[in-house]
Amino acid sequence: MSDAADTVDPAFRDDVIRGLQQAQPSIPARWLYDHRGSELFDEITRLDEYYPTRTETAIMRDNAAAIAAAAGTGGALIEFGAGSVTKTPLMIDALQPDHFVPIDISGEFLRASAARLAEDYPDLAVDPIEADFTKPFDLPDDIRGLHRVGFFPGSTIGNFVPRSAADLLRTFRDILRDGSSLLIGMDRVKDLDRLRAAYDDADGVTAQFNLNLLHRINRELGADIPVDLFRHEARWNEMLGRIEMHLVATTFMSFAIDGTRFSFDEGDTIHTENSHKYGKRAARTLLLAGGWTPVAEWTDDADDFAFILAEAQPNRFAP
């Protein structure tokens, strides 16, 4: 076993090995975002084919005053899955928070992004947290008593199957607590050619992003996966309303990960990511299932993407 394998996050090792042992091999999408994966995703967001980022950014920019009026100003802004915090300045400028808490699983990338943001906003308290936001964690004591606004842009909620998405929203509610707000982006169903192109761009950046997961497994788990024998594929699943990213074996192969051997036949796949697309009613129902009451919604002229404000209102079990 390599030194890298001795120092790797045990949750990563367990998710990879357990995931590849399933009837449909799969690995949770959060592990796509090591430092290199985060860099590649940041590059994806600037591609011509990848409409979600520029569409959501335009929605936030065009409706900044209305968003601020609805969500309130001051308090604490908490961003789940902050990454490169490229959209964050729009919300900071609009909401004028006293405290900003970016949360991401890729610690090195997060700290670098947070440091740049702190330089740009010297009067803003910036307190990054390296954490898996799908699990409970503690927010800084400094924001105790402040109104809390969660920020979850980019349609990241679409990476989770509906049951897990509802669980995640409930986790956010537990972290942010009653009386808080959530600003969340959700992608709409649209022309399938546009959807597929957004997840399989002509320059192959998304393919690099997907295949980087295999490079990470080799590096951190001491594996010997023949990465060049896999190819990236984006599929539309009509029944489940989602784009799926797969790594497809182009020939028979066998490899070992941390002493466990795996075999793949030609055409077998590793399912690495989902991106669910939600209609208007489905989006609101999902938020309600997660304990959040939708109160406002902004979209683009083509209704390609929605930016929704929801509130953690007290639980009600009667009309």
Side-chain angles (χ1 to χ4, degrees), residues 24-309:
Q24 167 58 69
S26 62
I27 299 172
R30 64 181 177 275
W31 299 117
L32 290 163
Y33 296 91
D34 64 347
H35 185 80
R36 179 56 179 156
S38 296
E39 289 179 334
L40 286 167
F41 183 73
D42 194 39
E43 187 175 344
I44 288 169
T45 65
R46 296 191 294 271
L47 295 170
D48 290 341
E49 297 97 327
Y50 196 76
Y51 64 87
T53 298
R54 64 175 175 271
T55 304
E56 184 181 36
T57 299
I59 292 169
M60 288 191 285
R61 182 182 297 114
D62 294 345
N63 297 280
I67 293 169
T73 57
L77 180 65
I78 296 99
E79 183 171 1
F80 299 97
S84 61
V85 297
T86 53
K87 300 170 191 171
T88 310
L90 289 170
M91 285 299 95
I92 291 176
D93 292 341
L95 302 183
Q96 295 292 306
D98 302 305
H99 206 111
F100 174 59
V101 183
I103 301 146
D104 202 89
I105 198 170
S106 180
E108 181 183 355
F109 197 73
L110 170 68
R111 286 185 289 274
S113 299
R116 290 194 299 271
L117 196 67
E119 290 180 0
D120 293 339
Y121 294 90
D123 296 329
L124 176 66
V126 179
D127 196 350
I129 296 177
E130 181 180 355
D132 177 356
F133 61 70
T134 66
K135 299 178 175 61
F137 59 87
D138 293 326
L139 290 173
D141 289 338
D142 291 348
I143 70 169
R144 189 184 305 276
L146 296 179
H147 175 62
R148 302 175 180 187
V149 178
F151 183 41
F152 197 42
S155 194
T156 306
I157 192 66
N159 294 153
F160 298 84
V161 298
R163 182 178 64 181
S164 297
D167 288 343
L168 178 63
L169 290 169
R170 282 190 286 269
T171 296
F172 287 176
R173 194 186 194 286
D174 290 341
I175 291 169
L176 296 174
R177 301 180 183 175
D178 280 357
S180 61
S181 302
L182 178 67
L183 288 165
I184 184 170
M186 290 194 187
D187 198 10
R188 301 288 205 213
V189 178
K190 56 185 62 64
D191 177 78
L192 297 188
D193 288 339
R194 288 184 65 204
L195 281 175
R196 292 192 187 97
Y199 296 88
D200 193 5
D201 61 279
D203 292 336
V205 181
T206 311
Q208 293 179 56
F209 171 66
N210 203 9
L211 289 163
N212 178 67
L213 177 59
L214 301 182
H215 288 295
R216 179 181 186 182
I217 293 169
N218 280 348
R219 182 179 65 253
E220 296 187 18
L221 300 182
D224 60 353
I225 301 173
V227 179
D228 58 339
L229 298 183
F230 281 92
R231 64 176 176 83
H232 164 72
E233 183 176 301
R235 302 174 177 177
W236 171 251
N237 187 322
E238 175 66 28
M239 183 62 68
L240 299 180
R242 70 191 188 194
I243 285 283
E244 298 177 356
M245 290 205 326
H246 289 257
L247 292 166
V248 184
T250 59
T251 186
F252 171 81
M253 69 184 75
S254 178
F255 54 83
I257 302 176
D258 197 25
T260 301
R261 184 151 292 276
F262 300 91
S263 295
F264 279 72
D265 289 322
E266 181 180 352
D268 288 347
T269 77
I270 303 172
H271 188 177
T272 57
E273 188 176 59
N274 295 314
S275 186
H276 292 80
K277 310 304 175 184
Y278 288 99
K280 184 175 294 186
R281 291 181 179 175
R284 295 173 181 176
T285 299
L286 177 63
L287 284 164
L288 288 166
W292 294 92
T293 302
V295 295
E297 180 176 302
W298 301 271
T299 187
D300 57 292
D301 291 341
D303 199 28
D304 278 344
F305 199 95
F307 192 62
I308 303 171
L309 173 66

